[in-house]
Amino acid sequence: MSFKNYTDCLLHAFQAHPKSAEVVKRKQEILKGVSEFHNFTPDSVLYVGFNPAILAETVNKIAVTHISEEACDFLHEYGIRFEHIPSSNLFGLNTKFDCVVALDEYFTFAKTDQEQKNNVEELSKLVSEYMITTCKDYKNQEFKDREFSVPALVRSKNDCHVYLEFHDADVHDRNSWKTNVYEIVGNKMNFSGPFDRRALFFKQLAKFTSDAGAEGFSVHKNLMYKSLIKKNYEHVISIRFDNNGY
């Protein structure tokens, strides 16, 4: 399954959340923090997958890619004006955005190093100012801690939604695994996956983005990101470009 299916799990958790407005505010504050760091306010943003931050987006041009029809319908119902760009149309797209937002460890959703590099190059060509992503510190993570994400609970008015991620490691490659997401509501369970994943290290991402034309790479020590479906924190990373020319 693809990244858009993974972010559908985030959508379902958001829809069940009793304090959704606070969730939107927290996610948007992270993007604002990066904007202030770069001293630049974007006028156009491309979101990769569904993220609650888009619901408080104030830029003039919003685009979304790697997103399902279900998530698109939700955004339309919410009143968000955006352009949907199918992921198959990204390659060769003759458009640039001031900011590209690829959260929830987007670049780890790949089978190989080369696929990760290709995904970085694909998005880097669409950025004119900076890109924002998130990633765990895999270099300092013990291997035993990779089997499960820390489970998350969303307690709605009528139900408890329990989210559990199981990471099935490749027996031949310690940096490769498949993620399975389980949503348990009462005595019912929804399953999403498997999702091909691969560890990504900060220096590796810095090299990939540098090769793609990046001029700066920052791991924001004062900003941490947490998904709705797990309690693990992810580091917020921004990559600065100067792609104003075509």
Side-chain angles (χ1 to χ4, degrees):
M1 300 186 79
S2 65
F3 185 69
K4 70 178 181 181
N5 303 112
Y6 181 80
T7 63
D8 273 347
C9 299
L10 307 180
L11 170 63
H12 300 155
F14 177 76
Q15 290 173 319
H17 206 287
K19 298 181 179 179
S20 57
E22 291 184 14
V23 172
V24 172
K25 182 180 178 182
R26 288 198 300 268
K27 298 296 184 281
Q28 188 57 230
E29 282 177 347
I30 291 175
L31 305 189
K32 183 179 179 181
V34 176
S35 173
E36 292 174 348
F37 174 83
H38 290 285
N39 193 28
F40 180 86
T41 301
D43 189 61
S44 59
V45 175
L46 171 66
Y47 279 86
V48 181
F50 170 80
N51 190 278
I54 194 175
L55 302 179
E57 190 56 74
T58 59
V59 300
N60 287 324
K61 181 180 180 181
I62 301 173
V64 187
T65 189
H66 289 282
I67 190 171
S68 69
E69 290 186 13
E70 179 185 3
C72 279
D73 290 342
F74 173 79
L75 293 178
H76 284 304
E77 291 172 5
Y78 207 91
I80 304 300
R81 298 179 62 184
F82 67 97
E83 176 188 3
H84 175 212
I85 303 176
S87 57
S88 58
N89 293 355
L90 289 178
F91 182 77
L93 187 67
N94 192 27
T95 302
K96 293 189 185 295
F97 302 88
D98 290 340
C99 176
V100 170
V101 178
L103 305 177
D104 297 290
E105 296 200 290
Y106 167 70
F107 292 118
T108 66
F109 284 77
K111 289 184 179 181
T112 65
D113 288 346
Q114 186 59 50
E115 185 177 347
Q116 285 180 326
K117 186 174 183 179
N118 292 344
N119 292 340
V120 169
E121 291 176 348
E122 180 180 62
L123 290 187
S124 296
K125 293 177 181 178
L126 305 178
V127 187
S128 62
E129 293 293 337
Y130 59 84
M131 176 161 56
I132 307 172
T133 191
T134 62
C135 195
K136 290 197 285 287
D137 184 2
Y138 288 102
K139 180 180 179 181
N140 295 311
Q141 183 187 46
E142 292 189 27
F143 184 71
K144 65 181 180 63
D145 294 331
R146 296 189 188 182
E147 292 179 345
F148 293 93
S149 297
V150 179
L153 169 66
V154 175
R155 193 184 299 273
S156 66
K157 187 175 181 179
N158 300 316
D159 296 298
C160 289
H161 299 247
V162 178
Y163 290 91
L164 176 65
E165 282 191 350
F166 165 56
H167 308 295
D168 188 8
D170 189 311
V171 295
H172 302 295
D173 185 350
R174 290 165 63 92
N175 289 327
S176 181
W177 70 92
K178 293 183 183 295
T179 290
N180 298 297
V181 182
Y182 302 87
E183 179 191 16
I184 304 168
V185 184
N187 61 355
K188 297 180 180 179
M189 185 183 73
N190 297 317
F191 168 77
S192 295
F195 301 96
D196 290 317
R197 304 286 298 279
R198 187 164 186 83
L200 184 63
F201 306 98
F202 296 159
K203 287 186 178 180
Q204 182 186 16
L205 180 57
K207 177 66 165 60
F208 287 166
T209 53
S210 177
D211 290 346
E215 295 189 343
F217 183 93
S218 302
V219 180
H220 297 268
K221 295 181 180 180
N222 61 332
L223 294 175
M224 295 295 286
Y225 176 86
K226 187 168 68 172
S227 168
L228 287 174
I229 62 174
K230 55 189 173 184
K231 289 187 176 181
N232 306 74
Y233 280 98
E234 300 166 15
H235 292 272
V236 177
I237 300 167
S238 68
I239 303 104
R240 185 171 56 83
F241 291 83
D242 185 13
N243 287 339
N244 291 295
Y246 287 88

